[in-house]
């Protein structure tokens, strides 16, 4: 570990840029979810006129299945990004304090594979969804 040569100001700049890009990705994901819902509702059906709410048509059903399938993948990307940013921040903080063992520990914690359920939520060791933590790297 004594071979580390980190420039904290450089890490800070990269974390800020990456955080901004991650926020944009998150907003795009949310917009995609809303657009898919709207498209599914507006796609129509192959049945005739109905009273009340029209049933879901084949295009709407396919869009719903697509989003359900992609929710876990999109959630994984979000969780992995958050862990990577937080890990870089934590490891750099420990490096600045001069605690290289703790910096290495923080780094190894950040690269652990997250577990995400089919709704895209991170799961803790108990198998329950983890509450999002405030982001310290901003």
């Amino acid at each position: 570990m004594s071979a580390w040569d980190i420039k904290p100001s450089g890490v800070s700049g990269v974390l800020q840029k990456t955080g901004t890009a991650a926020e944009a990705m998150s907003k795009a994901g949310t917009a995609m979810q809303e657009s898919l819902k709207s498209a599914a509702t507006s796609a129509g059906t192959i049945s005739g006129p109905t009273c009340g709410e029209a049933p879901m048509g084949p295009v709407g059903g396919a869009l719903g299945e697509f989003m359900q399938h992609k929710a876990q993948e999109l959630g994984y990307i979000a969780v992995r990004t958050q862990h990577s940013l937080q890990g870089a921040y934590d490891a750099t903080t420990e490096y600045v304090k001069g605690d290289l063992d703790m910096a290495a520990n923080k780094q190894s914690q950040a690269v652990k594979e997250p577990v995400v359920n089919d709704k895209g939520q991170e799961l803790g060791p108990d198998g329950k969804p983890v509450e999002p933590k405030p982001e310290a790297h901003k």
Side-chain angles (χ1 to χ4, degrees), residues 58-70:
V59 173
L63 289 172
E65 284 186 37
F66 170 78
M67 193 57 217
Q68 186 176 4
H69 177 72
K70 292 298 177 185

Side-chain angles (χ1 to χ4, degrees), residues 12-85:
S12 177
V14 169
L15 287 176
Q16 288 175 352
K17 289 177 183 176
T18 306
T20 300
E23 281 183 41
M25 282 178 43
S26 176
K27 288 178 183 175
T30 300
M32 181 185 76
Q33 288 176 327
E34 293 303 315
S35 295
L36 283 173
K37 285 179 193 174
S38 176
T41 303
S42 302
T45 67
I46 56 174
S47 64
T50 60
C51 293
E53 193 173 317
M56 180 77 63
V59 173
L63 289 172
E65 284 186 37
F66 170 78
M67 193 57 217
Q68 186 176 4
H69 177 72
K70 292 298 177 185
Q72 184 175 19
E73 293 173 10
L74 294 172
Y76 176 89
I77 292 168
V79 170
R80 174 48 99 197
T81 301
Q82 179 185 10
H83 285 201
S84 296
L85 292 172

Side-chain angles (χ1 to χ4, degrees), residues 4 6 88-107:
W4 286 24
I6 298 173
Y89 174 85
D90 291 344
T92 304
T93 299
E94 297 303 330
Y95 173 84
V96 168
K97 289 184 202 174
D99 191 341
L100 299 182
D101 289 335
M102 185 59 80
N105 181 45
K106 295 291 186 178
Q107 182 185 37

Side-chain angles (χ1 to χ4, degrees), residues 2 9 13 19 22 26 33 51 59 62-63 73 82 91 109 118 122 124 126 132-133 138:
S2 61
S9 62
S26 176
Q33 288 176 327
C51 293
V59 173
L63 289 172
E73 293 173 10
Q82 179 185 10
Q109 291 295 318
D118 61 350
E122 180 180 11
D126 60 359
K133 297 175 190 164
K138 288 192 173 185

Side-chain angles (χ1 to χ4, degrees), residues 124-138:
D126 60 359
K128 295 181 181 176
V130 174
E131 290 295 321
K133 297 175 190 164
E135 298 176 27
H137 61 269
K138 288 192 173 185

